[in-house]
Amino acid sequence: MFEGVFPALVTPFNADNRIDVTSFRNIVEHVEKGGVAGMVACGTTGESATMSTQEHMDLIDLTVDCAKTIVIAGTGSNNTTEAVELTRHAYDAGANAVMVISPYYNKPNNAGLIAHFSSIARSADIPVILYNVPSRTGQDMPLDVITELSKIENIVGIKEASGNPVKVSRIIENTLDEDFMVLSGEDALTLPLMCMGAVGVISVAANIVPEKVVDLVNAVKNNDLKTAQMLHYELAPLIRSLFLETNPIPVKRALDMLGLTNGRLRLPLAPLSREHEIVLEEVLRDMGCLS
């Protein structure tokens, strides 16, 4: 069910710093026209760390309301009680799955990590996708913890953004006997990770060019590696430009250039530097996204 391309959606904001519902609907329509399998709301790219619990819930409701494809709701927190509350809300709202980041700042031990994710998984009858992104959390989820959590029935997979293909290989190897999948959490590694057995990507680039990311994933699934390699290198300049500064600063500016949202960020994030904006605009023109 959770195979293919899932854009990690940005959260557009109005001038009064509220969620821009119209722009969000436009972005959802844009990525769905590109053929994505579904989408992720309230993740890192969606600036979830700056949203109140109520805003978080409201955005999950909005996504379920306007999406025609699979909705994965980010419900993670470094507070287990809050993560449970958000997960239950996502289930009640009709989301198809939740994505739960490992607790940031706390740096729990292995027993704490297992108890945290187990509590969330028990809180609602909804598929749970783990999210490992040590560059954000300050802690790389240990292989043993992932292997143990994969045995829990409704923990169905992991978004892997450790940047370590060897570790991803071990995760897949250790969970071959489980109904457990790996999704790439980094656009630049989608091709190699899928060649090892990952089933898709939760993608930043798919906010901009969903159809090209879908074509890449489909080419791998169809064993057309020549086409997959071509698309990998075609997308490479865009992917690099989307991470010139902290995500989602560049991708929001790119969506602004495409006329899909205004590009506003919430503090502590600040607008893209002019130097990097020039690079991003040139890449978008080279890809035919801008006239």
Side-chain angles (χ1 to χ4, degrees), residues 81-128:
T81 300
E82 182 182 36
V84 165
E85 181 183 7
L86 290 171
T87 298
R88 286 174 175 163
H89 179 83
Y91 171 74
D92 290 339
N96 301 100
V98 296
M99 183 181 75
V100 183
I101 195 169
S102 58
Y104 38 88
Y105 189 79
N106 312 67
K107 289 192 174 182
N109 58 14
N110 288 7
L113 285 169
I114 291 170
H116 172 79
F117 286 110
S118 298
S119 296
I120 294 165
R122 287 195 304 267
S123 70
D125 185 18
I126 190 170
V128 175

Side-chain angles (χ1 to χ4, degrees), residues 1-8 37-40 70 72 183 201-203:
M1 182 178 185
F2 304 106
E3 298 183 3
V5 176
F6 298 85
M39 63 200 69
V40 177
I70 291 171
I72 302 172
L183 289 162
V201 59
I202 294 176
S203 167

Side-chain angles (χ1 to χ4, degrees), residues 23 36 48 87 113-114 123 168 187-188 224 231-233 266 283:
S23 291
V36 300
S48 59
T87 298
L113 285 169
I114 291 170
S123 70
V168 174
D187 280 290
D224 184 359
L231 289 163
H232 170 84
Y233 290 112
R266 275 188 174 172
V283 169

Side-chain angles (χ1 to χ4, degrees), residues 42-52 56 76 104 136 266-268:
C42 303
T44 303
T45 307
E47 295 173 83
S48 59
T50 68
M51 287 194 284
S52 69
H56 207 131
Y104 38 88
R136 296 279 188 170
R266 275 188 174 172
L267 289 172

